[in-house]
Amino acid sequence: MDTSTSYRYEQLAELIVGMIDKGALAPGMRLPSVRTVSEQHRISISTALQAYRLLEDRGVLVARPQSGFYVAAARRGARALPSASRPRARASTVSISGAVAALLEHASNSTLVPLGCAVPDPALLQSKRLDLALARAARQDGTRYNTYCAPQGEPRLRREIAKRAMRVGHALSPDDVLVTCGATEALTLALTTVARRGDTIAIESPTYFGFLHTIEMLGLKAFELPTHPTRGIDVGAVARLLETEPVAACLLSSSFNNPLGSMMAEDDKRALLAVLARHAVPLIEDDVYGDIHFGRERPKPFIALDGGANTIYCSSFSKSLAPGYRVGWIAAGAYTQQVMERKLAFSLCSPVLPQIALADFLESGAYDSHLRRIRRVFEENLAHMTRTIEASFPADTKVSRPAGGFVLWLELPRRFDSRALFDEALEQGICFAPGDVFSASRRFRNCLRLSAGHAWNDDMEQGIRRLGRLARTLLAR
Amino acid sequence: MDTSTSYRYEQLAELIVGMIDKGALAPGMRLPSVRTVSEQHRISISTALQAYRLLEDRGVLVARPQSGFYVAAARRGARALPSASRPRARASTVSISGAVAALLEHASNSTLVPLGCAVPDPALLQSKRLDLALARAARQDGTRYNTYCAPQGEPRLRREIAKRAMRVGHALSPDDVLVTCGATEALTLALTTVARRGDTIAIESPTYFGFLHTIEMLGLKAFELPTHPTRGIDVGAVARLLETEPVAACLLSSSFNNPLGSMMAEDDKRALLAVLARHAVPLIEDDVYGDIHFGRERPKPFIALDGGANTIYCSSFSKSLAPGYRVGWIAAGAYTQQVMERKLAFSLCSPVLPQIALADFLESGAYDSHLRRIRRVFEENLAHMTRTIEASFPADTKVSRPAGGFVLWLELPRRFDSRALFDEALEQGICFAPGDVFSASRRFRNCLRLSAGHAWNDDMEQGIRRLGRLARTLLAR
C-alpha cells in the first residue's frame, strides 16, 4: 500500500465518522454503496472499501452480507467521547487493594443490579456443551486424570490454543503455551518473571483495577500512560518515558482496554513494539477481550506482530466462555522456561479435568459459532445501554464507544463524584464500578464503568435510568 | 500428667523399641497384654497403655481390636535409622529449580518404574465417587456455577474443611478458610505474606524439594535445621538460631515430613510454638500427609495447639484423594485478610465445579472410610518396600520408619553417589528421587527417596531389587 492510498481511505473514514457525530448519518442508516462513494470522491473502489472495512473494524459500521454497510447501532452521535487521559508523569506506588476488595464484595451481591463486575452472565454464555464435556470426562476418564499434569498443562488443550493463535497470524507451538488459573495467574507469572519489587510497570490510564491490584501485591510501581478513548495509548509518550525512566515492562490490554473498549491501530501497535524493543522493555499483553470484537476481523494481538520476540501474551476463556473454569494461558516466548519454573513453584499445575473438557469443546469446533453469538449479544447489550444512558444521564455525560468487550466508560463533569454516586446507588440496589479504582493515582473520580455483561432486561434498563437520575441529582446539588 | 508417669511410659516405650531393634520382638509378633506388662514392670495399667498407644502413634505397634498390640509389619529391626541431620549453620540462597524440573520430567515418564514422584497412584485412590459428584454438578448446575466464586472459595467446601479441622481439635470458622490451587499455592500465599525477597526461612533438613523451589523463586533464603529421622526438628536448634539470626518464618511439614516420614511429638510441637511465639516468628505448616497416619490417632497439627495465633496452616486433598483436582486450602489466622488479597491478586479465585464436587463428597461422609482404606494400603506398600530394600540393598543401607505418608528415605555410606545411581537407574527404566534435591545446600548426595504411592506389584518389587543391585555394584567400584 503506498502512502497516498493510505491517506485517502483514512480521510474518507474520518469524513464518515464526522457525519455520524454530527447526526448526518444516524445509527442503522445504510451507507452509499462502495461504487457510489468511489465515484463521488473520485477514489478507487478498493480505497472506498478499505475505508468501510476500517470503520467496520472499529465498530463504527456493520456489514450485512448482500446488503451493504450500515451505521452500527452502538454508534451514537449524541454523546462525545471521554477525554484522552493525561496522567501525571511519574511512577507511583499502588494502594488499591482495599477499594478493590470492597467493590468485588458488592459486585458479587446478586440482589443488586449487576453493572459492577465485568463478568459475563452465565445465562448468556450458555456453557451447556462445555459442561457436558466435563461431565463426560469425569465419568469416563476420572481415574485416568486424577494425577498432576505437567506444569505446562494438558497437551491437547495447548494444541487447540496454538491452533487458534495461528488463525490470528501468530505461529505458536503447543510447547510455548502454558495453562494457567485464568489470565490473572498468567499476568502474575509474567510480572514476577520480568520485574522485581520496586520496579516500574507502564500501564494504560484508565486500566483494569485487577492489574493495579497485582502490581500492588508484587510491590511494583505503576506509570500511567496518556490513553485515548478509542485509539489507546500514546506511543510518543511511551518513547519519551523510556528515554528518562527505567521501566521493567509495559502492560496493556490493547484489544480491548477495560474500561475504555479502545483498540490500538495495527500501525500504532507496530510502532509501540519498535519503541519497546529499542529499549529492551518487554510487553505484557492481556488479550482476554480480543475474541469479543465488533469489527469484521479479530484485531491482531501484539504477539502476532512481533512473533513473540519481546511480547508475553496472556489470555483466558473467562470473558467469552467459562469464568467458572478458571482456565487461562500464557505464551512467554523467550521467557517460557522462567515462566514454567514459576508456575511449578507457585501452583504446581492446573486442575486436569476442566482442561480436558475445554480441549474436547475446542476440538468439536463449537467455539467459533459460540463466539459469533456472544459478540452479537454483547454488542446489542452495549447499544441498549448506550441509548438508556443518553436518555437518563446528565446531558454532558461522555460515553465510550467500545470496539469490543462488554463495558462502557462514562465521564461526567469534573466536579462529579462517582464515589458519592456509588454509595447512593448501593442503597437503591445498583452496583457499578467507580472510576478511581481504574487508576494507580486514583484519578477518574468523575468517571464510572458500567458492565453490559448481563442479559438486557427491564431491571437493567430501570437500574441505569435510576443511576442516571441519581447522577443528575448529585450534579445539581 | 505428672513427670514421673511421663518418664515411666516413655521408658517402657524405649525398652520395647530396643527389643524390636535387637530382633527380640519380630514384626507381626503379639506383645504381652497391658495387664501383664503392668505387673512385670510394676506400673499402672494406664501407664502401660500409654506406652503402647505412644508406639502405636509412632507406627511401631499396631492395635487389633479384641486382640491386643502387635509389632508393625513395616517395623524392621534389621536396618538402622538414617542419621539425624547436622546441616551447616547458615542461611543459603537456593538454586534447585533445574534439578527439580529434570526430576519431574523423568518422574512423569510412565514407562519408568514409578518410585520418583510422591504422587498417589490414581488406581489406589479410587476417586470414582468424587468424579461422579463432579459429573453430576457439571450436568445439573454447570450454568449456575459458570462464574467467579469469592476469592476465599465456595462456602460449602469451606464449611466441610472447617468441620474436619474441628475433629483434630482446631476450632476453625469457614470464614478463615481460603481455597487454593493445592498446598503449593497455599504455601506461596503464606510465604509472600510473611516474607520479602532476601528474607530467611527455617526449614527441615531434608525437606520437600517443592518448598525449596518456591523459596528459590520468591528470592528467599533457606536455613536448614537439624532434623531427626523419626522425631523431626531439634527445637533447641531453633531456639539458638532465633537468638542470632533474623528469620521471617519457619516452614515445616511435621506430620509427616517428606522425605523422612518423621513426626514431632506433641510436646516438641508445643515447645517449638513457644520458641517461635517468643521471637514473633510465624510458623507455616504443611499438613498434606497428616490424614495418612499409621498410628491410631491423627497427629494434632500445630494450628490445633496454638489455635492459629502464630501458625499459618496449609493443606490439600492431593495426597489422599484427588491430585488431579488441585484443591488445597489455607487457614491463616491473623494473616487471613492479607492472604485473601494475595489470592485475589495472583489467581483471582479457584475453579468452581471441582470445589462443589469435593463439598458433595465430604458432605456424604465418604471421606473417612476412604482414608481408612488408603492408610492401610500405603502402610502395606511401605512394608513391602522396606522388606524388598532389606533383601536387595547394600547391607549398611539405613531406612526411615515413616509414621505416615508413603515415602521412604534411604541413607547409604558417605561415599555413595545417588546421582550416579539415578543415571544408571534411568537407563534400566527406574525413576527415584536423588537425595540432594531435598536440601538447599545440596547435602544428602548419599541418600535417596523412594515413593510407595503406587500399587505394589512385581514391577515395583523387581524395580527395587534392580535398584538395590545397582547400588551394591556402585558401592563396590
Side-chain angles (χ1 to χ4, degrees):
Chain A
M1 178 195 324
D2 68 60
T3 337
S4 61
T5 314
S6 155
Y7 278 131
R8 279 186 202 142
Y9 84 84
E10 287 188 346
Q11 281 167 353
L12 175 58
E14 274 174 30
L15 188 73
I16 294 168
V17 169
M19 288 172 75
I20 295 172
D21 281 347
K22 284 181 205 114
L25 282 170
M29 208 180 246
R30 186 175 178 280
L31 271 87
S33 74
V34 168
R35 180 168 303 275
T36 308
V37 89
S38 79
E39 287 165 3
Q40 285 173 346
H41 293 271
R42 294 184 193 171
I43 55 180
S44 72
I45 286 184
S46 75
T47 303
L49 187 59
Q50 213 170 356
Y52 280 17
R53 289 256 154 91
L54 175 73
L55 292 177
E56 193 196 357
D57 284 348
R58 291 189 180 161
V60 176
L61 300 183
V62 174
R64 298 203 185 127
Q66 267 84 51
S67 172
F69 288 84
Y70 293 78
V71 178
R75 180 76 186 180
R76 305 294 295 181
R79 299 290 177 164
L81 281 170
S83 331
S85 69
R86 286 190 304 264
R88 59 183 178 189
R90 61 186 180 85
S92 57
T93 57
V94 184
S95 176
I96 196 91
S97 57
V100 169
L103 169 63
L104 292 182
E105 204 186 313
H106 293 301
S108 67
N109 179 346
S110 61
T111 67
L112 302 175
V113 181
L115 306 169
C117 234
V119 185
D121 187 344
L124 287 184
L125 288 178
Q126 299 183 8
S127 60
K128 195 77 198 164
R129 193 163 172 168
L130 173 65
D131 294 330
L132 289 179
L134 177 60
R136 196 171 49 241
R139 226 169 38 237
Q140 294 176 356
D141 299 310
T143 297
R144 175 176 160 206
Y145 291 121
N146 190 17
T147 190
Y148 304 139
C149 66
Q152 294 90 338
E154 272 300 312
R156 277 177 55 208
L157 177 58
R158 291 189 281 129
R159 202 175 312 129
E160 289 303 308
I161 288 169
K163 273 161 67 181
R164 292 194 70 81
M166 203 76 86
R167 290 163 48 177
V168 289
H170 176 215
L172 182 65
S173 153
D175 292 342
D176 294 332
V177 176
L178 187 142
V179 177
T180 57
C181 181
T184 305
E185 191 190 26
L187 175 67
T188 302
L189 295 172
L191 284 172
T192 54
T193 296
V194 302
R196 286 198 179 192
R197 178 171 283 274
D199 282 355
T200 296
I201 310 295
I203 54 169
E204 291 157 296
S205 178
T207 193
Y208 167 48
F209 54 78
F211 293 172
L212 296 171
H213 191 215
T214 305
I215 286 171
E216 173 183 353
M217 285 295 137
L218 295 173
L220 302 168
K221 283 187 259 181
F223 190 104
E224 298 178 74
L225 297 164
T227 307
H228 186 272
T230 61
R231 295 194 302 270
I233 61 162
D234 177 345
V235 178
V238 178
R240 286 189 296 278
L241 166 65
L242 298 185
E243 293 299 337
T244 57
E245 185 110 5
V247 167
C250 183
L251 166 62
L252 299 181
S253 57
S254 60
S255 317
F256 306 88
N257 168 287
N258 167 7
L260 289 171
S262 60
M263 177 178 85
M264 287 179 74
E266 210 170 291
D267 285 351
D268 285 348
K269 286 183 177 174
R270 287 185 196 279
L272 177 64
L273 285 169
V275 166
L276 292 173
R278 199 155 60 233
H279 293 271
V281 172
L283 176 71
I284 301 170
E285 169 174 31
D286 176 0
D287 198 28
V288 289
Y289 292 102
D291 276 332
I292 311 173
H293 53 93
F294 304 144
R296 196 170 37 89
E297 280 190 17
R298 192 196 194 291
K300 269 200 168 45
F302 283 98
I303 200 162
L305 302 177
D306 83 339
N310 194 39
T311 301
I312 302 179
Y313 179 90
C314 305
S315 194
S316 82
F317 297 103
S318 299
K319 300 303 176 189
S320 47
L321 176 62
Y325 278 56
R326 304 297 301 125
V327 176
W329 68 94
I330 182 168
Y335 301 97
T336 299
Q337 176 67 18
Q338 286 154 276
V339 164
M340 193 275 281
E341 284 175 357
R342 278 158 183 78
K343 171 74 184 178
L344 195 58
F346 299 160
S347 69
L348 200 57
C349 64
S350 286
V352 188
L353 287 169
Q355 296 183 62
I356 298 296
L358 270 161
D360 283 346
F361 181 83
L362 293 172
E363 285 168 3
S364 78
Y367 196 37
D368 287 308
S369 56
H370 171 88
L371 284 176
R372 277 194 295 276
R373 183 179 58 77
I374 63 153
R375 271 178 215 132
R376 203 184 56 233
V377 168
F378 287 135
E379 188 174 11
E380 283 171 4
N381 279 4
L382 284 171
H384 286 305
M385 190 174 267
T386 305
R387 269 196 297 277
T388 313
I389 290 165
E390 284 170 2
S392 58
F393 268 71
D396 37 8
T397 303
K398 297 172 178 177
V399 185
S400 62
R401 285 171 205 156
F406 46 83
V407 297
L408 283 182
W409 181 247
L410 277 62
E411 180 183 321
L412 283 93
R414 206 149 258 300
R415 70 181 186 283
F416 180 77
D417 181 2
S418 70
R419 281 274 157 196
L421 180 66
F422 186 67
D423 294 340
E424 299 216 8
L426 281 180
E427 281 184 24
Q428 299 215 12
I430 305 163
C431 187
F432 68 89
D436 61 351
V437 298
F438 297 89
S439 160
S441 53
R442 308 300 282 273
R443 301 161 58 79
F444 307 119
R445 197 148 168 134
N446 59 323
C447 299
L448 54 132
R449 187 194 73 179
L450 301 181
S451 166
H454 272 249
W456 187 257
N457 56 27
D458 273 1
D459 280 356
M460 293 283 282
E461 179 159 348
Q462 291 311 319
I464 290 171
R465 285 186 189 280
R466 278 208 303 281
L467 201 59
R469 278 195 299 272
L470 275 177
R472 285 207 307 271
T473 311
L474 275 177
L475 261 186
R477 270 180 202 163
Chain B
M1 176 197 324
D2 69 62
T3 338
S4 62
T5 316
S6 153
Y7 277 131
R8 281 187 199 138
Y9 85 84
E10 286 187 348
Q11 281 167 354
L12 175 58
E14 273 174 30
L15 188 74
I16 295 169
V17 169
M19 289 171 75
I20 295 172
D21 281 346
K22 285 182 204 114
L25 282 170
M29 208 180 249
R30 188 173 174 281
L31 271 86
S33 74
V34 169
R35 179 169 303 274
T36 308
V37 90
S38 78
E39 287 164 3
Q40 286 173 345
H41 294 271
R42 296 185 192 169
I43 54 179
S44 72
I45 287 185
S46 73
T47 303
L49 187 61
Q50 214 171 355
Y52 280 18
R53 287 260 154 92
L54 175 73
L55 292 177
E56 192 196 358
D57 285 347
R58 289 192 183 158
V60 175
L61 301 182
V62 174
R64 298 205 185 126
Q66 267 83 50
S67 170
F69 288 85
Y70 292 78
V71 178
R75 180 74 186 181
R76 306 293 294 182
R79 299 291 176 163
L81 280 170
S83 332
S85 68
R86 287 189 303 265
R88 58 182 178 189
R90 61 184 181 84
S92 57
T93 56
V94 184
S95 175
I96 197 91
S97 59
V100 169
L103 169 63
L104 292 182
E105 202 185 316
H106 293 302
S108 68
N109 179 347
S110 61
T111 68
L112 302 175
V113 182
L115 307 168
C117 235
V119 185
D121 188 342
L124 288 185
L125 288 178
Q126 298 183 9
S127 60
K128 194 78 197 163
R129 195 163 170 168
L130 174 65
D131 294 329
L132 290 179
L134 178 60
R136 197 173 47 242
R139 226 170 37 236
Q140 294 176 356
D141 298 310
T143 297
R144 175 176 158 206
Y145 291 120
N146 190 17
T147 190
Y148 304 139
C149 65
Q152 294 90 336
E154 273 298 313
R156 277 178 54 209
L157 177 58
R158 292 189 280 129
R159 204 175 309 129
E160 289 303 308
I161 289 170
K163 272 160 66 181
R164 293 194 70 82
M166 204 76 86
R167 291 165 47 177
V168 290
H170 176 216
L172 183 65
S173 153
D175 292 342
D176 294 332
V177 176
L178 187 143
V179 176
T180 58
C181 180
T184 305
E185 191 190 25
L187 174 67
T188 302
L189 295 173
L191 284 172
T192 53
T193 296
V194 302
R196 285 199 179 190
R197 178 169 281 274
D199 282 355
T200 296
I201 309 296
I203 54 169
E204 291 157 299
S205 177
T207 193
Y208 168 47
F209 54 76
F211 293 172
L212 295 171
H213 189 216
T214 305
I215 285 172
E216 173 183 352
M217 285 296 137
L218 295 174
L220 302 166
K221 282 188 261 182
F223 190 104
E224 298 178 76
L225 297 164
T227 306
H228 187 272
T230 61
R231 295 195 304 271
I233 60 162
D234 177 345
V235 179
V238 178
R240 287 189 296 277
L241 166 65
L242 298 187
E243 294 298 338
T244 57
E245 185 110 6
V247 167
C250 183
L251 166 62
L252 298 181
S253 57
S254 62
S255 316
F256 306 87
N257 167 288
N258 169 6
L260 291 170
S262 60
M263 177 178 82
M264 288 178 75
E266 211 171 290
D267 286 351
D268 285 348
K269 286 184 179 174
R270 289 185 196 279
L272 177 64
L273 285 169
V275 166
L276 293 174
R278 199 156 60 234
H279 293 272
V281 172
L283 176 71
I284 302 171
E285 168 174 33
D286 176 1
D287 197 29
V288 289
Y289 293 102
D291 276 332
I292 311 173
H293 52 93
F294 304 145
R296 195 172 35 90
E297 279 191 15
R298 193 198 193 290
K300 269 199 167 43
F302 283 96
I303 201 163
L305 303 177
D306 83 339
N310 194 39
T311 301
I312 302 180
Y313 179 90
C314 305
S315 194
S316 82
F317 298 102
S318 299
K319 300 302 178 190
S320 48
L321 177 62
Y325 278 56
R326 305 296 302 122
V327 176
W329 69 95
I330 182 168
Y335 301 97
T336 298
Q337 175 67 20
Q338 287 155 275
V339 164
M340 193 274 281
E341 284 175 356
R342 278 159 183 80
K343 170 74 183 179
L344 195 58
F346 299 161
S347 69
L348 199 58
C349 63
S350 287
V352 188
L353 286 169
Q355 296 183 64
I356 298 297
L358 269 162
D360 283 346
F361 181 83
L362 293 172
E363 284 168 3
S364 78
Y367 195 38
D368 287 308
S369 56
H370 171 89
L371 285 176
R372 277 193 296 275
R373 183 178 58 76
I374 62 153
R375 271 178 214 131
R376 203 183 58 232
V377 168
F378 287 135
E379 187 174 11
E380 284 171 5
N381 280 3
L382 285 171
H384 287 303
M385 191 174 267
T386 304
R387 271 195 297 276
T388 313
I389 289 165
E390 285 170 3
S392 58
F393 268 70
D396 38 8
T397 303
K398 296 173 179 175
V399 186
S400 62
R401 286 173 205 153
F406 46 83
V407 297
L408 283 180
W409 181 247
L410 277 63
E411 180 183 321
L412 283 95
R414 205 147 260 299
R415 67 181 189 282
F416 180 76
D417 181 1
S418 69
R419 280 276 157 194
L421 180 66
F422 185 68
D423 293 340
E424 298 216 8
L426 281 181
E427 280 184 24
Q428 298 213 15
I430 305 162
C431 187
F432 68 88
D436 62 352
V437 299
F438 297 90
S439 160
S441 53
R442 308 302 282 271
R443 300 161 59 79
F444 307 118
R445 196 151 171 133
N446 58 323
C447 299
L448 54 134
R449 188 194 72 180
L450 301 181
S451 167
H454 273 250
W456 186 258
N457 56 26
D458 275 0
D459 281 355
M460 293 282 282
E461 180 159 346
Q462 293 310 320
I464 290 171
R465 286 185 187 281
R466 278 207 304 280
L467 201 58
R469 280 195 299 272
L470 275 177
R472 286 207 306 271
T473 312
L474 275 178
L475 261 186
R477 267 181 207 161

